[in-house]
Amino acid sequence: MNKETVIEALSNTMRFKGYSHRSERSYRSWIIRYIDFCVRNPAGTSQDKVRGFLTYLVRDLNNSHCTQKLALNAISFLYKEILKQELGELGTFPKSTRARKLPVVLSQDELRRLLNNITGIHHTICSLLYGCGLRLNEALNIRIKDLDFDRQVITIRSGKGNKDRTVMMPPPLINALKNQIDVVDRLHNEDLANGVGEVYMPNTLAKKFPNAAKELAWQFVFPSSKPGPEPYTGIIRRHHIHDSAVGKALRAAKKKAGINKDFKSHALRHSFATHLLESGTDIRTLQELLGHEDVRTTQIYTHVMVNGALSTRSPLENIAHSS
C-alpha cells in the first residue's frame, strides 16, 4: 500500500464522514505506524500483519489495552473504508496485562476550592466538565444550537465513537451559558462586519447547508480569542478555545487551591461519575450520561466510591478506640 495515497484517502474519507480533527490525527498516526510495520514485516496475510502489529504494541512497547484497542480501531477503519477489504476474524493475539490505574477523584470540597480559583470562560468550561461529566473536547465542541434551555439539556455531538448523546444542563450554569451566548453573538457580529464569521462545519453539512457556517446557531459556545486559518483549508474562521488554555487555567487553580493530587481535566469527569454513584445513580444511567459503549468501562468508578468498598471500617479503628 502506498503511504501517501492511503493517508490522502483517509483524510478525505474522515472529513466526509464528519470525524473531528483530533480523530483524524489519531487515526493517521496509527495507520502510518502500521504501514511502516508492514514494510518491515512484509510476509503473511493482512490478518497476520494486523495480529503482528497488535502483538508488537503489547510485547515490545508494553502499551495498554486502551492503546491497543485504539490502534485496532484505526486499522479496521483503514481496511473497511479505505482499502475496501474485509479483515474477517483476526484470531487470538496477546492482550495487554498492564494494570489499569484507578481514576483520580476530587472531593466536593476540593472541587469547590478548585472552581473558586478559576474565572471567566474557563470557570464555565470546568464547571461543565464536572457538572455534566464531559470530556474536555466534548465541552469545547458545543455549539449554541446544542443548548436547550427549555428542557435544560445539552446535546453532545460526535462524542467518543462518533456518537451523539444528551446530558443534563446544571441549573447553576444556565445564566453563565446565556451570558456566554451574548459574548459569542457580539464576537460573531464583529467577525461578520470584518468579512469573516464562518465556523468549521462537517463536510456533509457544509455542502447541504452552505450558509449555515455564518449562522449564530452554529458558532462554538467557547470561541477562541481571535479568528485564524482552518488547519486543512486555510480559510479564516473562529474556532473554539484551545484545550491547552483550559489545562493552564486548571494548573494555576490547583496550585492556588492547595490541592496536591496529580490530575488533569479528565479528573472532573471522573469526579462527576463517582459522586453520582455515591448519591445512588444506577450504573446504566451513568453509562448513558458518560457515553460509554460498555458498562464495564463505567464500573471502574465502583472501585473509588467512598460508600462502596472504601466505606468498610478498618480494624485499626477498634484498636485505636480501645487504647
Side-chain angles (χ1 to χ4, degrees):
M1 59 184 80
N2 180 276
K3 186 191 297 187
E4 289 72 22
T5 303
V6 166
I7 296 306
E8 182 180 358
L10 173 73
S11 295
N12 292 336
T13 302
M14 294 194 75
R15 291 173 203 175
F16 178 77
K17 289 181 172 292
Y19 282 78
S20 67
H21 294 325
R22 183 189 297 266
S23 296
E24 183 180 335
R25 288 196 303 269
S26 175
Y27 274 34
R28 183 172 63 240
S29 174
W30 279 116
I31 288 171
I32 288 174
R33 291 176 65 180
Y34 173 65
I35 292 175
D36 290 342
F37 176 85
C38 292
V39 171
R40 299 193 304 270
N41 303 271
T45 64
S46 296
Q47 290 88 344
D48 293 333
K49 293 172 184 176
V50 174
R51 281 196 303 270
F53 182 67
L54 297 175
T55 300
Y56 162 74
L57 293 179
V58 168
R59 184 190 59 203
D60 296 3
L61 302 183
N62 193 32
N63 285 137
S64 68
H65 172 70
C66 290
T67 300
Q68 189 186 48
K69 185 177 179 181
L70 179 58
L72 178 56
N73 289 342
I75 294 169
S76 298
F77 187 92
L78 166 68
Y79 278 96
K80 181 179 180 181
E81 303 292 344
I82 310 303
L83 302 180
K84 306 299 182 183
Q85 298 178 17
E86 289 295 333
L87 262 181
E89 290 295 327
L90 290 177
T92 59
F93 54 89
K95 305 294 197 301
S96 175
T97 56
R98 201 172 81 180
R100 185 174 185 179
K101 294 182 179 179
L102 290 176
V104 176
V105 175
L106 303 178
S107 69
Q108 291 189 337
D109 179 64
E110 288 172 327
L111 283 159
R112 189 177 298 108
R113 284 154 45 204
L114 183 74
L115 293 175
N116 283 343
N117 282 285
I118 306 177
T119 58
I121 190 174
H122 301 125
H123 181 275
T124 305
I125 293 170
C126 291
S127 296
L128 276 175
L129 300 185
Y130 173 61
C132 307
L134 304 184
R135 304 174 179 91
L136 179 54
N137 67 304
E138 291 175 340
L140 298 184
N141 277 286
I142 295 173
R143 304 189 190 229
I144 290 177
K145 69 179 185 61
D146 299 326
L147 301 176
D148 187 337
F149 290 101
D150 291 334
R151 298 174 58 226
Q152 294 190 12
V153 296
I154 303 172
T155 301
I156 306 303
R157 307 284 182 184
S158 301
K160 196 170 183 179
N162 207 30
K163 296 178 180 178
D164 295 352
R165 72 182 191 279
T166 55
V167 297
M168 72 283 281
M169 180 186 292
L173 286 179
I174 289 178
N175 286 338
L177 290 171
K178 287 183 176 179
N179 291 337
Q180 188 59 33
I181 291 177
D182 291 338
V183 171
V184 177
D185 190 13
R186 184 168 61 254
L187 285 174
H188 185 51
N189 285 326
E190 291 176 3
D191 288 344
L192 290 173
N194 292 326
V196 285
E198 283 193 6
V199 70
Y200 166 77
M201 298 279 291
N203 280 4
T204 51
L205 291 176
K207 293 176 181 178
K208 188 175 182 179
F209 307 109
N211 297 320
K214 289 190 175 182
E215 294 177 3
L216 177 64
W218 281 95
Q219 304 302 306
F220 290 111
V221 175
F222 305 109
S224 58
S225 58
K226 58 183 180 180
E230 205 270 334
Y232 301 118
T233 65
I235 298 174
I236 301 300
R237 291 170 169 155
R238 190 182 290 273
H239 202 54
H240 60 63
I241 188 174
H242 199 275
D243 54 8
S244 63
V246 181
K248 183 178 180 180
L250 264 179
R251 288 191 296 273
K254 170 187 166 183
K255 185 176 182 180
K256 290 179 182 177
I259 301 173
N260 295 319
K261 292 176 180 176
D262 183 21
F263 66 90
K264 295 183 180 180
S265 62
H266 215 62
L268 303 182
R269 174 175 160 90
H270 293 326
S271 302
F272 163 88
T274 305
H275 294 167
L276 278 187
L277 280 178
E278 290 173 347
S279 66
T281 301
D282 67 272
I283 195 98
R284 292 290 182 180
T285 298
L286 182 59
Q287 177 190 1
E288 291 183 10
L289 288 172
L290 293 173
H292 286 161
E293 184 175 354
D294 193 328
V295 73
R296 288 176 295 183
T297 307
T298 317
Q299 288 171 340
I300 187 69
Y301 298 110
T302 62
H303 299 292
V304 289
M305 294 168 55
V306 295
N307 56 353
L310 297 183
S311 65
T312 303
R313 291 181 58 184
S314 166
L316 180 62
E317 293 185 51
N318 298 327
I319 297 176
H321 290 321
S322 61
S323 60

